[in-house]
DNA sequence: AAAATAGTGTCTTTAAGACAATATAAA
DNA sequence: TTTATATTGTCTTAAAGACACTATTTT
């Protein structure tokens, strides 16, 4: 019995959010869980993850970051019997509203901090998996330009900094952050337009550059 | 069909080595492969990896580093049919000789560079897996004190540097390396003895300290 | 003009890179 | 004394941390 589950992360309301579905059947009926489903015959693992992503969110898997997080197979993790699950981590831009998937269960965003704060809101071993997904996302932001994937196609420096602040749960110095981003070749490219709207000086607009690796990395302070 | 395979790495002869078994049966008879076997009923993934490790090398899994590398499930990766494999990465000190396991196949160390240099020496998708294992090991040495696990319990600074040089395939400045290691709290602890034996000034002996994370990390130069 | 937000300049501190000389042993 | 190996000192350079001011808009 092999399943593929998804940890789909985004940033909204200045916080890291995870896409969860409410379970409609036993076990763990009524509790929240990561979206996922069974691996089909002759289906590649990554293909299965992309299919689940499409089914649950109507998102195009080709557009966003999708990578294998890990495989979880403790014999007692599913009370029905032995189920091993391969979990994929997805990084998505802030979506207006999670589209109800073709599967019956309602999907919704939840703040990671609130979900992990309470015991027994998540089904199976999904709390443990979410823990590892968050740690992976934090490390990815240190070493790659992946933070831009959390943003819309065009974004401001403040929005990009907001992604780091939400994922890392810490405030960053705007000056030092801006210097690091702009001095890293290919991280962002300025778009010759500025924001209109509210009060305050308009912000420069950027889009993601061609670079994928951050060298030297942008390390979280304090050595964890 | 779920299997657990092992990528067991060590350092010997100034090179990174991988433990391989010769396949005695089809498919890929006569070719080299990572050791592994089927997951047993009600067996945890990590337990299965430790069991395979014991069967193949008579090594105690509790003593060395063992972590999940990834899961590989391309439908065509095994010509016999659908087999998904969970691969664990093991880091071992330089062993005198790989003990022939309880399984019939003969196990032997092979230099990673020589194996990856040639096409079609490895069975299944094991070349791709080995690639990822090496990259994981390289990254681990940047961010953790894991290099000491490649060494015997007591080692010299030169031996520790040799581990980095073998895994990273580059020479390191002895002065700068020594400074980095000794200035990182808890990386190594001096043992009040010096080497006897050959010519030259005796080397100070060290053993692994309590630290596991390197902060700041020891980055490979050049940004890859 | 006041309020709100965006952006920049520069000094300090830390750590890595580069380089050459000294120390301690065996032969 | 020669050879072999280990170890240490210091200058330079790169990058992060800390800090306060200027710029551009709306109301």
């Amino acid at each position: 019995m092999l399943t593929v589950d998804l940890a789909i992360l985004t940033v909204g309301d200045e916080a890291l959010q995870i896409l969860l579905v409410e379970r409609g059947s036993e076990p763990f009926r009524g509790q929240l869980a990561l979206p996922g489903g069974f691996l089909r015959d002759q289906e590649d693992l990554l293909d299965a993850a992309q299919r689940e992503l499409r089914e649950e969110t109507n998102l195009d898997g080709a557009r966003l970051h999708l990578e294998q997080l890990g495989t979880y197979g403790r014999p007692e993790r599913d009370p029905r019997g032995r189920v091993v699950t391969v979990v994929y981590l997805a990084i998505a831009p802030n979506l207006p509203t999670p589209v109800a998937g073709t599967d019956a269960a309602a999907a919704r965003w939840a703040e990671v901090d609130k979900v992990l704060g309470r015991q027994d809101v998540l089904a199976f071993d999904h709390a443990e998996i979410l823990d590892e997904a968050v740690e992976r996302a934090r490390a990815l932001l240190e070493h790659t330009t992946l933070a831009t994937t959390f943003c819309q196609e065009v974004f401001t420096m403040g929005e990009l900094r907001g992604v780091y602040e939400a994922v890392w749960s810490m405030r960053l110095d705007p000056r030092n952050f801006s210097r690091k981003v702009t001095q890293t070749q290919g991280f962002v490219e300025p778009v010759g337009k500025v924001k209109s709207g509210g009060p305050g000086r308009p912000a420069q607009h950027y889009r993601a550059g061609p670079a994928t690796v951050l060298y030297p990395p942008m390390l979280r302070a304090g050595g964890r």
Side-chain angles (χ1 to χ4, degrees), chain A:
Chain A
M1 292 292 248
L2 249 187
T3 62
V4 173
D5 288 336
L6 287 171
I8 309 171
L9 295 176
T10 195
V11 169
D13 293 335
E14 302 181 348
L16 188 62
Q17 314 251 357
I18 176 80
L19 189 70
L20 297 175
V21 297
E22 192 171 326
R23 286 188 58 80
S25 54
E26 294 295 340
F28 300 105
R29 175 197 290 255
Q31 282 182 251
L32 296 171
L34 300 176
F38 287 98
L39 180 68
R40 292 184 184 164
D41 217 35
Q42 295 305 103
E43 186 179 38
D44 187 23
L45 296 170
L46 184 58
D47 291 340
Q50 284 172 331
R51 174 177 56 78
E52 296 287 349
L53 186 67
R54 201 166 39 241
E55 289 178 5
E56 302 284 354
T57 66
N58 281 342
L59 265 183
D60 185 3
R63 295 255 188 103
L64 44 73
H65 181 83
L66 198 59
E67 72 174 43
Q68 192 178 297
L69 176 66
T71 300
Y72 301 81
R74 284 214 330 277
E76 345 78 57
R77 64 177 292 280
D78 189 324
R80 292 168 296 186
R82 180 56 175 275
V83 178
V84 173
T85 189
V86 182
V87 180
Y88 279 78
L89 172 68
I91 305 295
N94 189 358
L95 303 170
T97 292
V99 184
T102 57
D103 282 351
R108 65 175 190 86
W109 295 109
E111 281 194 26
V112 167
D113 284 343
K114 293 185 179 173
V115 171
L116 285 178
R118 295 173 214 156
Q119 215 62 8
D120 297 327
V121 294
L122 290 186
F124 306 104
D125 51 1
H126 289 185
E128 176 194 343
I129 294 172
L130 179 54
D131 246 341
E132 296 186 20
V134 171
E135 179 49 36
R136 174 78 68 96
R138 287 179 171 158
L140 282 169
L141 261 56
E142 288 187 294
H143 297 278
T144 73
T145 62
L146 193 72
T148 58
T149 308
F150 280 108
C151 298
Q152 305 297 324
E153 196 183 333
V154 164
F155 51 86
T156 69
M157 187 64 70
E159 286 166 353
L160 186 62
R161 178 162 45 83
V163 168
Y164 274 90
E165 293 182 334
V167 177
W168 286 355
S169 298
M170 54 167 61
R171 307 309 297 260
L172 299 176
D173 185 312
R175 306 165 266 277
N176 296 338
F177 179 82
S178 173
R179 176 180 61 194
K180 176 70 185 175
V181 170
T182 51
Q183 283 188 6
T184 300
Q185 293 276 349
F187 194 167
V188 296
E189 290 173 348
V191 177
K193 293 166 187 166
V194 285
K195 178 173 104 186
S196 63
R201 174 176 173 175
Q204 172 70 256
H205 276 189
Y206 299 90
R207 54 183 153 80
T212 58
V213 179
L214 240 55
Y215 189 89
M218 174 154 23
L219 299 173
R220 291 172 271 179
R224 343 214 144 173

